[in-house]
Amino acid sequence: MPAESIAAPSTLVERVIRRDRLIVALAMAAILALAWTYLVSMAAGMHAMAREAQMQAAMAMPEMRGWGAGAFGALFLMWAVMMTGMMLPSAAPMVLLVLGAYRRRGDGRARLGSALFLAGYLLAWTVFSAAAAASQVMLHRAALLSADMAARSTVLAGTILLVAGAYQWLPIKNACLAHCRSPLGFLTRHWREGASGALRMGVEHGLFCIGCCWALMVLLFFAGVMNLLWVAAIALFVLIEKLAPRGPLAGRVAGAALVFWGAYVLIRGG
């Protein structure tokens, strides 16, 4: 058989993979753009509400906005969109790898499989968002958050920094980070067939990412939940930690810095 006839199908598959990767990458870019557009708009609204609350407090007026089921729903949506905007860039290489794996296996539903994988990944972070929103409501009711949704208590602020920093050095953090930094290894160990398998793989990968990054997300309670500079900085750090050659080292250095910062906040506050 001529070499050209052997190479032709492989070349065709690679062209299809490149085309599909472009389509999926553009779709993820669109989702990312929508998420950040929403966050910028939401942040502006939250800052206006914070100024209003500060004015009411200065005038000794009762707070006019309650934190009932409607507030929880708004917070949940905010956290879910924020987690999408923060975590989608670091998950993109895995999604594209899943797409290529389906194509090379001759699966005609490669795009669907990669979309379900992404849906499962975001589903895991959506559950985390519900827990984060519930935590924010409890902290607010305990009067531990300021009007801009940052830690009001020195003890809370220092503890958040200490926990986030110490977690960077724990074995469970390193194990979860190793899974996130080795997409091919993850697929080798966790591959599932079919649509439900793609969804399940996405959820599993999302759980590993939560295990890797949850403490970094808790830092938003220290800096202000809608502090977009911190949101962007944490998203960039997650990207570096997962994709850069010295990512784990950067994580440990950052962890040590957070521990020292937390100790300073507690000592100074005491």
Side-chain angles (χ1 to χ4, degrees):
M1 180 179 295
E4 292 79 1
S5 62
I6 298 175
S10 177
T11 303
L12 177 60
V13 169
E14 292 302 323
R15 284 204 301 267
V16 171
I17 290 175
R18 285 196 297 269
R19 182 196 64 195
D20 283 355
R21 281 178 174 170
L22 178 61
I23 293 172
V24 172
L26 289 175
M28 287 190 289
I31 294 172
L32 194 61
L34 289 173
W36 277 95
T37 299
Y38 175 85
L39 289 177
V40 170
S41 175
M42 175 69 78
M46 289 291 183
H47 290 322
M49 290 171 58
R51 287 194 297 269
E52 179 184 340
Q54 289 169 351
M55 290 175 58
Q56 291 174 7
M59 299 171 63
M61 294 172 60
E63 185 176 1
M64 297 177 64
R65 295 182 182 273
W67 282 61
F72 172 79
L75 288 175
F76 166 66
L77 178 61
M78 177 191 73
W79 275 96
V81 174
M82 188 159 56
M83 292 303 99
T84 299
M86 294 176 75
M87 299 307 300
L88 187 55
S90 64
M94 175 68 88
V95 176
L96 295 177
L97 183 64
V98 169
L99 174 66
Y102 275 116
R103 277 299 184 198
R104 289 189 174 90
R105 292 166 66 89
D107 194 326
R109 297 179 298 174
R111 292 182 197 170
L112 175 62
S114 59
L116 288 171
F117 180 91
L118 178 59
Y121 178 82
L122 295 179
L123 176 61
W125 277 105
T126 300
V127 174
F128 173 86
S129 299
S135 300
Q136 186 172 342
V137 170
M138 289 188 290
L139 289 171
H140 174 80
R141 288 177 176 171
L144 292 174
L145 294 181
S146 63
D148 57 356
M149 297 183 288
R152 175 181 289 168
S153 161
T154 301
V155 174
L156 177 61
T159 300
I160 289 173
L161 291 169
L162 283 175
V163 169
Y167 189 76
Q168 292 293 105
W169 287 82
L170 294 184
I172 186 173
K173 159 74 181 192
N174 295 328
C176 291
L177 180 59
H179 278 275
C180 293
R181 286 178 58 84
S182 179
L184 188 58
F186 173 85
L187 291 184
T188 300
R189 290 187 293 271
H190 298 274
W191 182 264
R192 302 285 190 278
E193 297 290 348
S196 61
L199 185 67
R200 180 176 173 181
M201 284 192 296
V203 171
E204 290 176 352
H205 183 54
L207 292 176
F208 278 119
C209 284
I210 291 171
C212 176
C213 302
W214 71 267
L216 295 173
M217 302 307 164
V218 174
L219 286 172
L220 293 174
F221 287 122
F222 164 76
V225 172
M226 284 304 294
N227 186 326
L228 292 187
L229 288 178
W230 272 77
V231 171
I234 293 173
L236 178 60
F237 179 79
V238 168
L239 196 64
I240 292 172
E241 196 175 37
K242 289 185 178 182
L243 302 182
R246 297 295 181 89
L249 176 60
R252 294 189 183 95
V253 171
L258 289 171
V259 168
F260 281 114
W261 190 2
Y264 170 77
V265 169
L266 291 175
I267 293 170
R268 185 182 180 185

